[in-house]
Amino acid sequence: MSLSALASAFALGIVLASSPGPVQAVLLAEAARGGWRRGAAAMLGANATLAALLLALAGGVALVAPTGSAARLIRLGGGTFLLFLAADTWRGAWRGPRGAVPGRRDAARGGLPPGPRGVLAVLLNPGAWIFLATTAAALMTNAMRRGGGPLAFLTAGAIVAGVALIDGAFVLLGAEGRSRLGEWSSRLSYVLAAALGVLGVFFMVSAALTS
């Protein structure tokens, strides 16, 4: 086994999760809305989805970066999803702390639980698919050449571990902000709702402009 290859994969996961994007915005918003438990549930959904896709790559499944109509559909889907989250986060802040109790209030309103939100944040993220089809695929191919299937699967795990480290920091950051701001935490939720809305509009506009 190559420790240097695994260390590189771990570092790649850290860099990937450190880049601002839809997943990070969703984790921050969920943690700021309902504390670390809600943020951790969203993180589990996102990380489990990424892990499943990386393990598929390690198992020899070829993932192709979406182009043309497929790329537009993912951007439209991602934009719609982020706009939904922005509106939902804004409503939660407007209702106040009682509307941010994890699980109960959302279930009563028929809202989407945090776990599936994390899943969709990955599946409807065009950048995630490009990463999987290019950088991750090349890394898995190299791992297969150097150590076969075992090294490829360990490489996938190392990437997920790096991502989880940074995603956990985002969750703790959102939860800590909610805790420290107290009654003013709704203002943080408003800011994060606006960020989600901006990302959603960006995805929708980029889908419309893509030929």
Side-chain angles (χ1 to χ4, degrees):
M1 298 297 176
S2 174
L3 292 179
S4 62
L6 295 179
S8 297
F10 181 74
L12 177 62
I14 291 177
V15 172
L16 176 65
S18 299
S19 304
V23 175
Q24 288 69 35
V26 169
L27 296 182
L28 278 172
E30 294 301 300
R33 177 179 178 178
W36 72 267
R37 291 181 184 275
R38 186 179 180 95
M43 173 182 160
L44 179 61
N47 288 176
T49 302
L50 178 63
L53 293 170
L54 286 170
L55 289 174
L57 272 177
V61 177
L63 299 178
V64 180
T67 58
S69 297
R72 284 194 295 273
L73 285 175
I74 290 178
R75 289 192 181 95
L76 284 172
T80 302
F81 170 64
L82 290 173
L83 289 175
F84 159 76
L85 289 187
D88 194 49
T89 302
W90 192 280
R91 284 196 302 268
W94 180 262
R95 289 189 177 96
R98 289 181 302 172
V101 176
R104 296 179 184 176
R105 302 287 297 190
D106 285 345
R109 296 198 306 268
L112 189 66
R117 294 181 186 216
V119 172
L120 291 175
V122 174
L123 293 180
L124 297 178
N125 182 5
W129 289 103
I130 293 173
F131 165 77
L132 289 165
T134 55
T135 306
L139 196 61
M140 294 302 172
T141 300
N142 183 56
M144 287 289 293
R145 283 200 304 263
R146 297 177 64 178
L151 183 57
F153 284 111
L154 287 174
T155 298
I159 295 175
V160 174
V163 169
L165 178 65
I166 301 303
D167 283 355
F170 275 101
V171 169
L172 291 177
L173 178 64
E176 184 69 11
R178 178 177 184 268
S179 175
R180 287 185 177 276
L181 289 174
E183 295 181 357
W184 297 90
S185 62
S186 59
R187 296 196 175 188
L188 174 61
S189 293
Y190 286 134
V191 171
L192 293 172
L196 288 167
V198 169
L199 282 172
V201 170
F202 172 77
F203 275 21
M204 301 286 279
V205 170
S206 65
L209 295 179
T210 301
S211 58

